[in-house]
């Protein structure tokens, strides 16, 4: 099946003739010639058209070809010089790896002068299921190039997939992008192409919840297919593209400001390469080689088709956007909606592999805080990890590459093996930094000789009280003391994943900091009573001070009672499915048993054959209203599976984190964030959490989701969003669009870890919801304290950074990507629906601060307060990134 191809770019400024036309303000638009921009590219169907090594070589050969052609056309008039658009920074990555420094400098020079253009993104990706931080790290190579070569990348592109998440606009804009274009495939899709052919806007301001925006060109798909306007190869026939943009009545009736009588005079068609790849030359080919000799024809066609009324321009894309923004930008509509997920969903065909990436991205938060603490004392700490970091971030940019459809010439097994290799590179880096930094930090905290101590570190930006697990294989006749308070803390010994652990209840662990605990011999203060009670057999009643659950033999929760809010029942049964229900067969299980019990926590274990062989471990904690659920599937499957959560909530509102935004999963016409048309509705994105709240606004539940990416609301279909049924179906895996799209049979996997946590609440509060999910997914970090003085950290407790506004969350804290000599980087997210301010205080004196892009490139200096704190400002729901140095 022929599918795709379309490409993107970078630029310097408007051409001289466009600037002159715009500057002549006395001349009306009627007197201006139409300006039609044609952008030449080769769309990357990575691991679909060819394997990874072939494409790596093609990138180099094609860039060399266009550098040569640029030299040959350098004396042409500006509109008729060769320009070319790569569709990702991975082209540059490969060129830098395979060519000499002089060759790379030449390439960078051509990017600076506008001959070549490259977007921030690594390659063409599907973004719907990505964690926000994965989106950003996949663009970090572009950020390094910006700082190293004093340039800025202003394009970011999500291409070919028929859907687009809302939050991506904010992430792209916050990373420095101003422009984007989109062409779809109109294939391998549940959309009717007649729908794709009638978009509400041909070009508009793509806007996030934070009011950041990009100028987005997304034309309606032409009836003739994706080698025309609205497809990912709009300029595959550049002659036809010019004629269409100049005269097609249907298009021109839409391509205008609301109420205007004239269409916009600045127009464009981008994308030539499509799916073709000539393996011998490394160049794309067209169906008629005489009509399209390789890709060296755009400058000749532009010159031939230009007339006094119509200037045709060989484009680097950015020149079009700059011209359009100046000429027409004030009249554009804004759109801030999500279009759901389509090809994004196919990463669930290797759901455990995809979950491993999600876990590694989450663990990166702890690894980087640990690395920050170590690097402040030993600045060279991360030097040995730098090459692995670069590979890992590149892998994050590639993992969600759009050819998850896996329906091309490359065998599915080869595609799956490539995905597995990317995961290993990501995990290897994160685990190495984490493990190395835990050991190093343990040697930097002061302690008396022979004291048996361990630290408990909080990677999040607020004070936390919860369980912490420390690897321990010593005497059992012990007690554990909090050195900050001098009091003994509840503890218990247990085995986790075959390893002995000491679990304590760690209270008031400071933000981005640690407390130290000491293991002492003897009983100490008598241990407290057990954290929860279990009574009954089948349908066991599992209860602590905050909650009462009734658990079935298959691990499903039949009843969930919130004791702190008048014994409110929050669980129900819908379609035979309860809370955390894998299949409507509650009797298919062994008798429930208690796996662990003690004063900190109690864990109830279920083993069942319902649906598939699986185990479910449910944990209650001392005095806590959090319920942890650990599901493990122990068999392969090839069909589509879900975990159901059925709630006793009326006409609920469901909110989820979707790729850098918190969205209300309702159509926009009903006050939500989903587009009323042109969207796919069967699976919503669930990054860290989903929250479901009763119509009364007085009761609800937050679901933390560490491993999976998507969920179906009630009985939603591809064409209709069910906003009334109080049920979530978390996608446990499968090929949601049939056996020909995605990887079959989960690539042979037979073990799947799929965890959740539940917490009841009264009224919904976005900050509380995401804090809960972050606490569940970022456990307190422990390590042995083995230091004995020197330049060590304090003996009992230390906090590195604090944020004054509770609605502004610390999202990441790390050494600057170019090295700690450039300072530290803090990423912060205002979760409130209002503009906010926050003072950031560091353990030490902040000497200088800058607001940066999310890729850590400076934007502007930030004046510090009189007390030496960093004043951070935010629009609603905005993520901001800051760089600061200390003394």
């Amino acid at each position: 099946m022929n599918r795709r191809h379309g490409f993107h770019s970078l630029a310097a400024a408007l051409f001289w003739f466009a600037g002159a036309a715009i500057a002549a303000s006395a001349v009306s638009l009627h007197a201006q010639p139409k300006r039609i921009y044609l952008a030449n590219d080769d769309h990357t169907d990575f691991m679909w058209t060819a394997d990874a090594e072939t494409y790596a070589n093609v990138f180099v050969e094609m860039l060399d070809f266009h550098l040569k052609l640029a030299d040959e056309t350098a004396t042409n008039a500006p509109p008729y010089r060769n320009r070319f658009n790569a569709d990702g920074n991975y082209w540059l990555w490969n060129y830098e790896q395979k060519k000499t420094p002089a060759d790379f400098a030449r390439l960078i020079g051509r990017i600076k002068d506008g001959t070549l253009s490259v977007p921030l993104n690594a390659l063409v990706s599907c973004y719907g299921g990505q964690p926000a931080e994965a989106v950003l790290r996949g663009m970090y190579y572009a950020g390094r190039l910006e700082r190293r070569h004093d340039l800025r990348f202003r394009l970011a592109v999500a291409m070919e997939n028929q859907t687009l998440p809302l939050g991506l606009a904010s992430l792209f804009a916050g990373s420095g992008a101003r422009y984007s274009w989109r062409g779809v495939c109109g294939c391998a899709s549940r959309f009717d192409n007649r729908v794709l052919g009638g978009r509400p806007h041909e070009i508009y301001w793509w806007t996030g919840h934070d009011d950041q925006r990009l100028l987005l060109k997304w034309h309606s798909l032409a009836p003739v297919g994706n080698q025309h306007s609205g497809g990912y190869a709009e300029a595959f026939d550049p002659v036809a593209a010019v004629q269409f943009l100049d005269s097609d009545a249907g298009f021109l009736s839409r391509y205008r400001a609301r109420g205007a009588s004239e269409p916009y005079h600045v127009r464009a068609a981008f994308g030539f390469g499509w799916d073709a790849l000539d393996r011998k030359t490394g160049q794309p080919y067209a169906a008629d080689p005489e009509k399209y000799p390789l890709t060296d024809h755009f400058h000749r066609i532009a010159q031939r088709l230009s007339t006094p009324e119509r200037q045709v321009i060989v484009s680097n894309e950015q020149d079009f956007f700059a011209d359009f923004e100046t000429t027409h930008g004030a009249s554009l509509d804004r759109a801030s909606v999500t279009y759901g997920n389509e090809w994004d969903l196919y990463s669930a065909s290797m759901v455990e592999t995809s979950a491993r990436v999600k876990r590694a991205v989450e663990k990166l938060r702890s690894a980087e805080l640990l690395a920050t603490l170590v690097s402040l004392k030993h600045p060279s700490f991360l030097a040995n990890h730098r090459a692995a970091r670069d590979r890992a971030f590149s892998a994050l940019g590639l993992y969600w590459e759009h050819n998850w459809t896996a329906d091309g010439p490359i065998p599915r097994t080869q595609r799956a093996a490539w995905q597995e290799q990317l995961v290993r590179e990501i995990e290897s880096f994160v685990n190495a930094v984490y493990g190395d930094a835990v050991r190093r930090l343990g040697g930097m905290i002061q302690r008396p000789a022979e004291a048996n101590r361990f630290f408990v570190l909080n990677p999040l930006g607020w004070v936390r009280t919860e369980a912490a697990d420390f690897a321990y294989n010593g005497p059992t006749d012990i007690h554990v003391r909090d050195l900050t308070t001098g009091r003994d803390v509840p503890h218990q010994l247990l085995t986790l994943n075959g390893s002995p652990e000491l679990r304590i209840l760690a209270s008031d662990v400071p933000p981005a900091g640690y407390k130290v605990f000491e293991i002492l011999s003897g009983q100490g203060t008598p241990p407290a009573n057990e954290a929860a009670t279990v009574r009954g057999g089948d349908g066991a009643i599992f209860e602590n001070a905050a909650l009462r659950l009734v658990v079935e033999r298959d691990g499903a929760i039949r009843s969930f009672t919130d004791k702190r809010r008048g014994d409110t029942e929050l669980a129900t049964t819908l379609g035979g499915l309860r809370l955390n229900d894998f299949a409507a067969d509650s009797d298919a299980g062994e008798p429930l048993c208690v796996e662990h019990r003690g004063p900190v926590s109690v864990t109830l274990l279920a083993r069942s054959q319902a649906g598939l062989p699986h185990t479910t471990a449910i944990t209650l904690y001392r005095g806590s209203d959090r319920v942890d659920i650990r599901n493990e599937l122990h068999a392969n499957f090839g069909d589509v599976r879900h975990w159901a959560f059925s709630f006793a909530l009326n006409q609920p509102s469901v909110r989820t984190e979707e790729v850098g935004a918190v969205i209300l999963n309702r159509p926009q016409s009903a006050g939500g964030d989903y587009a009323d048309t042109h969207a796919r509705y069967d699976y919503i994105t669930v990054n860290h959490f989903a929250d479901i709240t009763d119509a009364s606004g007085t009761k609800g539940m937050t679901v933390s989701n560490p491993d999976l990416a998507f969920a179906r609301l009630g009985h939603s279909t591809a064409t209709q969003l069910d906003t009334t049924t109080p049920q979530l179906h978390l996608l446990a895996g499968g090929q949601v669009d049939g056996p020909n799209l995605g990887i079959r049979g989960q690539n042979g996997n037979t073990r799947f870890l799929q965890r959740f946590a539940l917490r009841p609440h009264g009224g919904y509060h976005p900050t509380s919801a995401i804090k809960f999910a972050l606490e569940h997914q970022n456990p307190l970090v422990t390590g042995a304290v083995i230091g004995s003085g020197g330049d060590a950290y304090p003996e009992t407790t230390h906090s590195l950074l604090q944020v004054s506004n509770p609605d502004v969350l610390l999202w990441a804290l790390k050494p600057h990507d170019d090295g700690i000599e450039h300072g530290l980087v803090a990423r912060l997210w205002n979760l409130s629906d209002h503009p906010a301010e926050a003072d950031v205080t560091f353990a030490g004196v902040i000497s200088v601060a800058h607001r940066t892009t999310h890729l850590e490139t400076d934007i502007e200096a930030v004046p510090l307060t009189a007390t030496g704190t960093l004043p951070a400002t935010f629009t609603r729901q905005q993520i901001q990134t800051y760089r600061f140095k200390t003394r």
Side-chain angles (χ1 to χ4, degrees):
M1 174 178 63
N2 281 331
R3 282 198 303 125
R4 13 194 188 211
H5 253 100
F7 230 16
H8 329 298
S9 40
L10 207 288
L14 296 175
F15 291 113
W16 60 271
F17 54 85
I22 295 165
S25 57
V27 180
S28 71
L29 283 177
H30 294 278
Q32 294 183 28
K34 288 163 282 192
R35 296 186 291 282
I36 296 179
Y37 290 81
L38 293 175
N40 182 11
D41 66 41
D42 181 70
H43 172 81
T44 303
D45 270 332
F46 207 79
M47 291 299 295
W48 189 85
T49 303
D51 62 24
E53 186 57 29
T54 297
Y55 253 114
N57 292 328
V58 165
F59 292 155
V60 173
E61 294 167 7
M62 199 174 295
L63 288 171
D64 278 341
F65 175 87
H66 286 284
L67 287 171
K68 178 176 179 292
L69 192 57
D71 291 343
E72 293 172 356
T73 60
T75 58
N76 291 2
Y80 315 128
R81 295 173 186 168
N82 180 66
R83 288 175 171 81
F84 182 70
N85 310 276
D87 69 349
N89 69 58
Y90 196 58
W91 287 63
L92 304 185
W93 169 281
N94 281 279
Y95 200 88
E96 186 174 21
Q97 299 295 315
K98 294 177 179 290
K99 301 287 284 190
T100 68
D103 290 332
F104 193 67
R106 178 188 176 214
L107 178 69
I108 292 294
R110 283 303 194 181
I111 294 173
K112 285 186 171 184
D113 71 18
T115 297
L116 298 176
S117 135
V118 188
L120 288 167
N121 43 281
L123 283 180
V124 177
S125 285
C126 295
Y127 288 96
Q130 294 195 38
E133 203 62 32
V135 175
L136 301 181
R137 300 311 172 99
M139 299 188 289
Y140 259 45
Y141 175 64
R144 290 177 211 132
L145 293 180
E146 287 183 329
R147 297 184 295 277
R148 195 192 320 161
H149 298 286
D150 191 25
L151 58 85
R152 291 297 295 274
F153 296 99
R154 293 300 190 185
L155 288 165
V157 179
M159 184 56 58
E160 194 177 354
N161 184 14
Q162 286 72 222
T163 57
L164 188 66
L166 185 158
L168 190 62
S170 298
L171 296 182
F172 277 171
S175 297
R178 294 175 59 181
Y179 311 122
S180 186
W181 85 278
R182 188 161 180 80
V184 301
C185 186
C187 62
S189 176
R190 300 283 289 275
F191 284 90
D192 188 320
N193 278 9
R194 290 172 294 182
V195 173
L196 298 173
R199 290 194 52 74
H201 310 286
E202 302 294 308
I203 187 167
Y204 62 95
W205 290 113
W206 178 25
T207 309
H209 275 331
D210 56 6
D211 290 328
Q212 292 193 94
R213 66 185 192 180
L214 293 87
L215 181 56
L216 176 61
K217 183 180 85 71
W218 187 356
H219 291 174
S220 301
L221 184 65
V224 293
N226 55 39
Q227 294 177 342
H228 211 305
S229 186
Y232 58 96
E234 291 184 316
F236 187 79
D237 184 337
V239 176
V242 171
Q243 294 169 344
F244 177 86
L245 294 171
D246 193 18
S247 62
D248 186 86
F251 169 74
L252 294 175
S253 68
R254 300 186 302 269
Y255 192 70
R256 62 183 67 195
R258 187 174 301 178
S261 60
E262 291 284 326
Y264 297 124
H265 285 250
V266 183
R267 307 167 193 173
F270 298 159
F272 171 74
W274 201 53
D275 291 333
L277 184 72
D278 185 331
R279 312 271 175 96
K280 293 182 180 179
T281 65
Q283 307 302 323
Y285 64 84
D288 185 347
E290 293 186 1
K291 189 176 182 182
Y292 305 115
L294 293 178
T295 57
D296 63 354
H297 58 299
F298 271 50
H299 58 283
R300 293 195 298 271
I301 289 174
Q303 188 165 10
R304 177 164 60 86
L305 296 183
S306 292
T307 68
E309 297 77 28
R310 179 180 71 197
Q311 177 64 64
V312 182
I313 306 155
V314 181
S315 173
N316 65 9
E317 295 182 10
Q318 186 166 308
D319 48 9
F320 158 75
F321 284 116
D323 188 354
F324 188 98
E325 181 177 13
T326 302
T327 308
H328 304 299
S331 65
L332 283 183
D333 289 335
R334 296 159 64 99
S336 183
V337 295
T338 182
Y339 293 100
N341 299 289
E342 186 150 81
W343 294 355
D344 322 72
L345 299 169
Y346 306 153
S347 61
S349 66
M350 289 177 62
V351 72
E352 177 62 21
T353 307
S354 298
R356 287 166 55 198
V357 181
K358 191 176 182 184
R359 292 172 205 140
V361 171
E362 203 65 30
K363 190 175 181 179
L364 183 62
R365 181 179 284 108
S366 295
E368 288 182 335
L369 175 60
L370 286 160
T372 299
L373 287 161
V374 176
S375 297
L376 285 168
K377 304 294 183 179
H378 302 288
S380 64
F381 170 68
L382 283 174
N384 291 335
H385 296 283
R386 190 163 294 159
R389 176 206 66 185
D390 294 351
R391 291 192 300 271
F393 289 2
S394 176
L396 284 171
L398 298 177
Y399 184 80
W400 287 273
E401 197 279 338
H402 74 297
N403 290 288
W404 269 103
T405 52
D407 57 343
I410 297 299
R412 280 183 164 85
T413 53
Q414 189 173 347
R415 172 79 190 200
W418 178 69
Q419 301 287 168
E420 292 282 357
Q421 175 59 34
L422 294 176
V423 178
R424 287 192 292 271
E425 290 175 351
I426 298 165
E427 290 177 327
S428 177
F429 163 68
V430 174
N431 291 338
V433 172
Y434 183 97
D436 196 3
V438 165
R439 290 186 293 272
R440 294 287 293 273
L441 179 60
M444 297 163 67
I445 298 173
Q446 299 170 1
R447 64 149 195 163
E450 308 303 322
N452 189 2
R453 294 179 175 180
F454 63 96
F455 66 81
V456 175
L457 178 130
N458 174 13
L460 303 178
W462 56 92
V463 177
R464 294 167 66 185
T465 296
E466 59 192 70
D469 296 331
F470 174 60
Y472 176 76
N473 192 16
T476 60
D477 183 22
I478 59 170
H479 59 285
V480 181
R481 184 159 296 165
D482 181 336
L483 295 183
T484 303
T485 66
R487 294 193 294 267
D488 293 348
V489 300
H491 78 276
Q492 65 193 78
L493 299 172
L494 67 165
T495 299
L496 297 174
N497 299 318
S499 299
E501 301 278 341
L502 169 64
R503 174 170 291 177
I504 68 166
L505 183 61
S507 299
D508 300 323
V509 184
Y514 65 80
K515 291 180 80 172
V516 177
F517 296 81
E518 185 164 2
I519 302 171
L520 301 165
S521 62
Q523 187 176 24
T525 303
N529 59 333
E530 290 187 351
T533 61
V534 180
R535 62 183 187 275
D538 296 342
I541 299 174
F542 192 20
E543 186 170 12
N544 69 358
L547 304 170
R548 182 170 57 251
L549 313 181
V550 179
V551 182
E552 302 286 359
R553 290 171 61 148
D554 64 349
I557 299 172
R558 184 207 309 164
S559 174
F560 189 111
T561 303
D562 182 357
K563 296 166 64 175
R564 292 176 174 173
R565 294 179 178 87
D567 285 343
T568 299
E569 177 60 69
L570 293 170
T572 192
T573 301
L574 296 172
L577 297 169
R578 301 178 171 90
L579 285 182
N580 191 54
D581 213 342
F582 194 68
D585 188 5
S586 60
D587 293 330
E590 302 174 11
L592 298 169
C593 66
V594 175
E595 184 179 32
H596 308 297
R597 65 193 328 150
V600 181
S601 67
V602 177
T603 298
L604 191 62
L605 183 66
R607 295 185 177 89
S608 175
Q609 302 296 314
L612 285 173
H614 68 272
T615 57
T616 294
I618 301 175
T619 301
L620 293 181
Y621 297 93
R622 183 173 198 82
S624 172
D625 60 357
R626 173 173 133 186
V627 180
D628 282 4
I629 302 171
R630 180 186 177 95
N631 297 311
E632 292 188 59
L633 303 177
H634 302 292
N636 181 254
F637 61 97
D639 54 351
V640 179
R641 299 295 184 122
H642 303 88
W643 291 98
F645 290 83
S646 304
F647 300 95
L649 299 169
N650 182 48
Q651 297 292 315
S653 298
V654 177
R655 296 172 176 87
T656 58
E657 183 202 347
E658 185 221 55
V659 196
V662 176
I663 68 169
L664 176 59
N665 291 275
R666 286 182 185 163
Q668 199 168 46
S669 58
D673 291 308
Y674 256 81
D676 291 315
T677 63
H678 296 79
R680 181 162 167 177
Y681 305 103
D682 48 350
Y683 286 100
I684 64 173
T685 294
V686 185
N687 286 138
H688 282 93
F689 78 95
D691 187 277
I692 183 165
T693 302
D694 189 83
S696 67
T698 61
K699 59 181 179 178
M701 186 92 79
T702 303
V703 182
S704 171
N705 171 48
D707 305 303
L708 304 180
F710 307 104
R712 189 178 72 233
L713 292 185
H715 306 293
S716 295
T717 66
T719 58
Q720 187 171 0
L721 191 66
D722 179 1
T723 61
T724 60
T725 305
Q727 190 175 52
L728 295 173
H729 300 264
L730 275 295
L731 180 59
Q735 293 173 266
V736 296
D737 284 338
N740 294 322
L741 294 170
I743 306 300
R744 292 175 181 146
Q746 294 294 327
N747 196 37
N749 252 327
T750 58
R751 180 186 175 276
F752 305 85
L753 174 62
Q754 301 180 343
R755 298 162 296 166
F756 307 101
L758 306 175
R759 192 204 67 176
H761 60 75
Y764 166 75
H765 188 263
T767 307
S768 297
I770 203 162
K771 275 187 171 182
F772 168 70
L774 288 171
E775 288 171 354
H776 175 230
Q777 296 170 40
N778 293 265
L780 297 173
V781 178
T782 63
V785 175
I786 56 176
S788 57
D791 60 355
Y793 281 108
E795 183 176 0
T796 60
T797 188
H798 182 65
S799 178
L800 195 59
L801 180 146
Q802 300 189 36
V803 182
S804 64
N805 188 330
D807 284 326
V808 175
L809 303 190
L810 177 65
W811 196 251
L813 180 60
K814 60 185 291 295
H816 190 277
D817 201 60
D818 295 339
I820 199 166
E821 64 271 20
H822 297 275
L824 301 179
V825 169
R827 190 151 22 251
L828 306 161
W829 190 351
N830 170 31
L831 266 296
S832 72
D833 282 326
H834 307 282
E837 298 178 352
D839 287 334
V840 180
T841 305
F842 191 75
V845 178
I846 298 176
S847 59
V848 64
H850 289 78
R851 187 169 67 90
T852 76
T853 70
H854 296 325
L855 311 188
E856 306 184 15
T857 298
D858 284 353
I859 298 174
E860 61 183 359
V862 178
L864 302 174
T865 69
T867 58
T869 62
L870 191 163
T873 60
F874 306 83
T875 60
R876 65 183 291 261
Q877 286 200 30
Q878 187 180 24
I879 304 174
Q880 290 271 33
T881 303
Y882 294 89
R883 176 178 72 89
F884 58 94
K885 290 185 176 181
T886 63
R887 61 174 186 269

